Amino acid sequence: MVLPRPVRPARTDRPDGQAPPAVALRGVVKRFGALTAVAGLDLEVPAGSCFGLLGPNGAGKSTTMRLLTAQAIADAGTIEVLGFAVPREGKRARAAMGVVPQQDDLDEELTVRENLEIFARLYRLPRPERAAAIDRVLEIAHLADRPATRVDDLSGGMRRRLLIARALVHRPALLLMDEPTVGLDPQVRAELWGLIAGLRAAGTTVLMSTHYIEEAERLADACALVSHGRVIALGGPAELVAEHAGERVVEHYGPPDRLAAVERTARAAGLPTRRTGPSVSVLKAETIGPALAAELGPDGVARAANLEDVFVLLTGERVD
Amino acid sequence: MSTAGTARDRPAPLRRFEPAAFAGVWRHEIALFKRYYRPQTFASMAEPTFFLLAFGYGFGSLVAMAGGMRYLDFVATGVVGTAALFTSVFPAMFSGYSRRVYQHTYDAFLAAPVDVHELVAGEALWIAGKAALYSCTPVVVGLFFGLRPSPWVLLVPLVTFLSAAGFGLFGTWAAAAVPSINSFDYVITGVVTPAFLVAGTFFPASGLPGWARYLAQANPLYHCVELVRHAAFGAWRPPDAWHAAALALFAAWMWTIAVRRLRRRLID
Ligand SMILES: Nc1ncnc2c1ncn2[C@@H]1O[C@H](COP(=O)(O)OP(=O)(O)OP(=O)(O)O)[C@@H](O)[C@H]1O
Ligand SMILES: [Mg+2]
C-alpha cells in the first residue's frame, strides 16, 4: 500500500520541549438557540497521534469537527489547528488538513476521478503534480480500476473510501474523520483501520469520531469520551478501561428482578455495573472477594473489561 | 521523511479571492457541463427560435413596427434579455438549492480552503459567462429572420454578462433564502414572471401605464433589453449610461445579499 507522506505541522519548540498540539480547544462553547451542543470543551490532540472522539448520539462530536474547519463558529473559547487560530486563520488551517465528513457529500453525477480533480485544485496542488496525486489516492482507496465510474454507481463502501481518498489528495498534516467506517462491512472496515494506522505511522495526525468502540480501542493512542458537549474522560484506551472498568467483568443473566438484585448487591459493595442487554455486568470484578462472589451467585460469566464498558458506564445507559 | 515543508512554510492562502478556489469551483462546473451541455444547448437554441416564430410571425402580422424598429428586430433583441434572465436565474436557483440541501456540495467545498464569497463568486461568474454566450443565440437565429445588426452587436455579450451576473446572484440568494424548494413558486411567479413581462421585451415599455413604466425602471431586465437593442443596432442614447449603471448596481446589491444569505445558511 502506498501511503501519503504528510506535511508535518509546525514544530516551534515550546519551553517544555514538547511539540505543540495539532489541535487545541480551550473552553469552547457552541450553542444552537437554546441547545448547547458543545459546552466548554477542552481538548488537545498531540501532533502525530491518532485521537478518538467517543460519545453517544448528539454528544457534539460532529459539531466539534465543524468548529475545527470553521464551518461552525464558536460562541466562546479558543481553537487552534496546526498552529493556526480558527476561525481567523481557518482557511490556512483547512489547506493543511483533510476532512472526511459524517455525511457523504461526493458529487454523485460525476466520476470518481472528477471528484478528486476538483479537490486537487481546491487544495492547491500544482498542475504537474495533480495526476500523480490522484493516482496515488486512488491506489490507497483501492479504486484504481474505477476512475471513470460515476459515484452514483459505486457501492457504499467504495463511496466511503473515495471520501477518504479525497481528503488525502494533498497529503494533509491532519486528518479529521467523522465516523469514517459507518456502514461498512467488517472486511472493508478492517482495511480502513490498516489505512488509518499507516497514515499515523507516517506522521499524520488523525482525529476521528466513532461509534465503534473496537475501532477506538484498536487505533487510538488516546480517546476523549464526550457527553453533552464536554469531555468526561480522557486517556489511552487501556488506561480508561483500567481506571473505570478494571481488569475483569462478570456478567449475570436472569429475569429482571434477578438483574436488579445483582445491581443492588454490587453497588452496595461499591462496584460499578452496567446493563448489557439481557444481562448485568459487574465491573472491576477482580476486586470481588469470596463473600461478595457468593452473594452475587454462581451464574456469572467472566470476561475481560473493555472500552464499551467504560463508554456505557460514563455516558449513561439510556439515550436521551 | 522530510520535515522541511511545514504547514507554516506553505504559500499563505490569505488573499480574499484565491485562484485555487475558482479553479476548483470551475472544475466542478466544467465536469457537470460536459455531462449536460447537450440538453442545455438545445434549450437555449430552440427557445428563442420558438419565440421568434410565435411572436415574430404570429404577432408580427398584426404589428409591423415597435419602438421605432421592425417588430421582428424588436422581439429578437428582447428575447436576448429574457434568455439572459432564464439561463442565469433558473440554474442558480435550482442547482444552488440542490447543492446546498441534497448533495451537500457546498459543505464539501467549505471544508477545503474555500470561503463562501469565493464559492458564490466562482459560481456567479460561471453562470454569467454561460448565460452571456447562450443569450446571443436569439441574435444568431434572428439573422435567419432578416435581422441586420450593426458591428456594435459584439458588445451584446458584455451587456448580458453583467445582467446575468445580477440575475444569477439573485437566484443564488433565493436558493439560500427559501426554506423549501416549494417556495420557489413565490420567487418564480412573484418576481421572475413580472420581471419578464414588464421589461419592454415583447412590447415597448413606453406603451405601459405610468405606474408600470416606473416599475420597468426598477427592473434590471428592462435596462438589459434597452442596452441590448441599442448595441445591436448601434443606436446609442444618453440614458445608456444609466442603464449600464443600473445593471452594475443591481449585480453589486445581489452579490451582497447572496453572500450574506448563503454564509448564514452554511456556517453555523
Ligand atoms: N445546525 C444545527 N442546528 C441546530 N442544532 C444542531 C445543529 N447541528 C447540531 N445540532 C445539535 O447539536 C447537538 C450535537 O450534535 P452533533 O451532530 O455534534 O452530535 P454527534 O456527537 O456528532 O452525534 P452523532 O453521533 O449522532 O453523529 C445535537 O443535539 C444536535 O441536534
Ligand atoms: Mg456526528
Side-chain angles (χ1 to χ4, degrees), chain A residues 62 102 178-179:
Chain A
S62 297
Q102 180 169 9
D178 201 354
E179 322 253 355

Side-chain angles (χ1 to χ4, degrees), chain A residues 150-220:
Chain A
R150 269 170 60 129
V151 169
D152 239 352
D153 299 332
L154 293 181
S155 75
M158 291 174 183
R159 288 176 74 128
R160 207 73 209 155
R161 279 166 10 215
L162 177 57
L163 215 49
I164 294 172
R166 196 183 71 181
L168 293 175
V169 78
H170 57 310
R171 303 177 189 269
L174 169 66
L175 185 61
L176 301 186
M177 299 208 275
D178 201 354
E179 322 253 355
T181 63
V182 75
L184 298 183
D185 63 35
Q187 292 92 321
V188 180
R189 190 178 308 151
E191 201 176 279
L192 270 179
W193 290 346
L195 167 63
I196 295 168
L199 286 170
R200 185 196 156 286
T204 307
T205 308
V206 179
L207 173 58
M208 60 190 291
S209 80
T210 182
H211 280 132
Y212 297 106
I213 310 287
E214 189 194 350
E215 195 160 285
E217 234 163 8
R218 281 172 186 266
L219 291 176

Side-chain angles (χ1 to χ4, degrees), chain B residues 198-212:
Chain B
V198 190
T201 40
F202 298 110
F203 47 86
S206 56
L208 292 168
W211 60 269

